[in-house]
Amino acid sequence: MAIQSATSEEGAIGTATDSRGRLLTSDGTPLRRALERANRRRKLTALALVAPLLAFILIFFAFPIAQMMWRSVDNPQIVNALPRTLVALEDWDGQGVPDEPVFAALHADMMEDLDRPRREQAIGPLGIRLNYELSAARSAISRTSRNVPGFEEPYREAFTDAHRLWGQPELWQIIKREGKPLTLSYYVAALDREYDAEGNIVKRPENRQIYVSLFGRTLALSVAITFMTFVLGFPIAYYLSTLPMRYANLLMIAVLLPFWTSLLVRTSAWIVLLQQQGVINNALVGMGFIGDDGRFSLIYNQTGTIIAMTHILLPFMVLPLYSVMRTIPPSYMRAAKSLGARPWTAFRRVYFPQTLPGIGAGGVLVFIISIGYYITPALVGGQSGRMISNEIARHIQQSLNWGLAAALGTMLLVGVLVLYWLYNRLVGTDSLKFG
């Protein structure tokens, strides 16, 4: 039987076959099995190469996001602290103050909690959780827990004497409603809604509605910043694309300077420039354009937020635009003009459409980054220039209402994904060119 030699990753392959007609390698292994083994080895090698990056993404990106989304509905505090009380409240109709058996169960829960080690006590988290729903609930819980060892029957009278909230049906309605492992109350609050006495979701009073308007302001400011970076970045990128490479590289350094400067330094510089006694207003007054009493208010408002963030995010628009414009042959414009098109018509119908992938890429980058910014708005935005990210940071760092912060963050994430999906449906992300 003639043997024709060949090569593969497994060694020489001949035309020899076994009794079933399968091709064999030089060592007698079926060719199909040898190829499957080689493919499997290549896949394992590729997986080993990407495993560190995959692990990094899962640990530091996917897992924190999943934990944030879980915390927005997780509600263990009342269940852990008041198991007997919740069972006793099942027969309560929600009207008036519960009967003595409920207060007896509450007393038993509190006494049991006091017998636990301090680090395992659930009374503290219970007070914090109830205080999110009802003002003064934390003080009611803490004051009662200190005095509960001295309570005697009837417990209902002892509790109502300890703090007035125990005699209010609203507190008990909250305990019964929120006495479940999962809750939607954080999302209800994030939408400027609340529960009424009957358990229906209704609008909050107008003076307490802040989050929906903050979402709207964040969206409006992000769109405005994206538009401003486009207006300023398009001519810059166009000019760079027309220069010889050695000059374009020098000017590109100026565009990239913000990346090499601390964010706090840049923001502090804008505070110096924009304040009413700052450089810009002083220059306008000195040149006679405005009077000393007519200085512009350029900081601690939305104007300051837009100006500072436009400067910071401008490179994210310029770089994708430049990468696309650099690849557009100048002969296209010359050909359009030679065929009778005016310069503006040639630009509008020939040049500009070819820059759309760069515009889309830069717009997506700037919009997604700006919608989650919080350092610059916190420093130069004042009250009217704050964004939803500032409120998320406040709940995490100051009020410690992590559930509400997680709900706001989840809604922001879902909103960005929805907008990205709409962009993909209407325009298509396959045409984006990030450089």
Side-chain angles (χ1 to χ4, degrees), residues 1-27:
M1 180 170 55
I3 303 296
Q4 297 179 355
S5 61
T7 59
S8 75
E9 293 185 5
E10 295 296 322
I13 299 177
T15 58
T17 60
D18 59 7
S19 60
R20 298 171 59 182
R22 296 180 300 181
L23 289 175
L24 302 177
T25 61
S26 59
D27 59 358

Side-chain angles (χ1 to χ4, degrees), residues 322-339:
Y322 173 72
S323 68
V324 172
M325 291 177 176
R326 197 73 187 180
T327 62
I328 300 176
S331 58
Y332 288 1
M333 289 287 287
R334 292 195 297 266
K337 293 176 182 179
S338 68
L339 293 174

Side-chain angles (χ1 to χ4, degrees), residues 211-328:
Y211 301 119
V212 173
S213 61
L214 271 178
F215 275 113
R217 181 193 300 169
T218 300
L219 179 61
L221 288 176
S222 299
V223 171
I225 292 165
T226 303
F227 177 74
M228 290 297 298
T229 56
F230 166 70
V231 171
L232 297 175
F234 193 94
I236 296 174
Y238 176 76
Y239 182 65
L240 287 172
S241 67
T242 61
L243 291 176
M245 186 60 70
R246 62 180 184 274
Y247 297 118
N249 290 336
L250 290 175
L251 290 180
M252 185 60 70
I253 294 176
V255 174
L256 296 176
L257 274 178
F259 287 132
W260 306 333
T261 309
S262 169
L263 178 62
L264 291 177
V265 172
R266 283 177 280 167
T267 306
S268 300
W270 278 114
I271 294 176
V272 174
L273 290 171
L274 297 177
Q275 59 184 320
Q276 287 195 330
Q277 302 298 325
V279 175
I280 295 178
N281 271 302
N282 286 340
L284 293 175
V285 171
M287 290 184 291
F289 290 111
I290 60 174
D292 192 57
D293 56 346
R295 292 173 178 264
F296 294 115
S297 180
L298 301 175
I299 200 170
Y300 305 128
N301 50 32
Q302 295 185 23
T303 303
T305 298
I306 293 175
I307 292 175
M309 289 184 61
T310 298
H311 167 250
I312 292 171
L313 299 178
L314 185 60
F316 292 98
M317 179 64 75
V318 173
L319 292 176
L321 282 173
Y322 173 72
S323 68
V324 172
M325 291 177 176
R326 197 73 187 180
T327 62
I328 300 176

Side-chain angles (χ1 to χ4, degrees), residues 384-415:
S384 66
R386 290 170 61 86
M387 303 172 75
I388 191 64
S389 51
N390 300 118
E391 196 65 19
I392 295 173
R394 185 182 71 84
H395 284 303
I396 292 176
Q397 299 171 356
Q398 298 178 19
S399 70
L400 302 182
N401 191 346
W402 290 6
L404 181 55
L408 292 171
T410 301
M411 291 173 61
L412 183 63
L413 173 63
V414 172

Side-chain angles (χ1 to χ4, degrees), residues 23-186:
L23 289 175
L24 302 177
T25 61
S26 59
D27 59 358
T29 305
L31 177 60
R32 182 176 180 180
R33 184 183 304 172
L35 292 175
E36 290 177 350
R37 187 184 304 164
N39 288 333
R40 186 165 55 251
R41 185 181 297 115
R42 282 196 295 268
K43 291 179 181 179
L44 291 175
T45 302
L47 179 61
L49 292 174
V50 303
L53 177 60
L54 180 62
F56 180 86
I57 292 175
L58 290 175
I59 295 173
F60 297 103
F61 184 75
F63 178 72
I65 290 178
Q67 190 178 42
M68 175 193 71
M69 299 178 72
W70 169 252
R71 188 178 287 274
S72 67
V73 296
D74 189 26
N75 189 44
Q77 295 88 349
I78 300 177
V79 175
N80 293 339
L82 306 176
R84 299 181 182 86
T85 306
L86 293 175
V87 173
L89 281 173
E90 291 179 356
D91 298 328
W92 180 53
D93 60 0
Q95 302 298 322
V97 181
D99 296 329
E100 176 65 18
V102 175
F103 285 92
L106 176 62
H107 179 266
D109 285 331
M110 285 193 167
M111 288 299 296
E112 181 182 354
D113 190 76
L114 290 175
D115 292 336
R116 299 171 182 167
R118 187 172 183 83
R119 296 183 60 181
E120 299 178 7
Q121 290 181 356
I123 290 297
L126 171 67
I128 295 174
R129 176 66 184 89
L130 291 178
N131 206 70
Y132 297 154
E133 307 290 336
L134 182 63
S135 179
R138 184 176 183 179
S139 63
I141 296 295
S142 60
R143 183 188 303 178
T144 304
S145 64
R146 291 193 299 266
N147 299 326
V148 73
F151 286 0
E152 297 179 355
E153 297 184 7
Y155 294 117
R156 176 175 176 175
E157 182 177 345
F159 274 95
T160 53
D161 289 341
H163 199 281
R164 58 178 177 80
L165 283 186
W166 296 115
Q168 296 184 8
E170 185 180 4
L171 175 62
W172 294 101
Q173 292 167 356
I174 293 172
I175 292 175
K176 183 176 182 179
R177 185 186 73 236
E178 299 300 325
K180 301 177 180 62
L182 301 178
T183 182
L184 291 177
S185 62
Y186 295 124

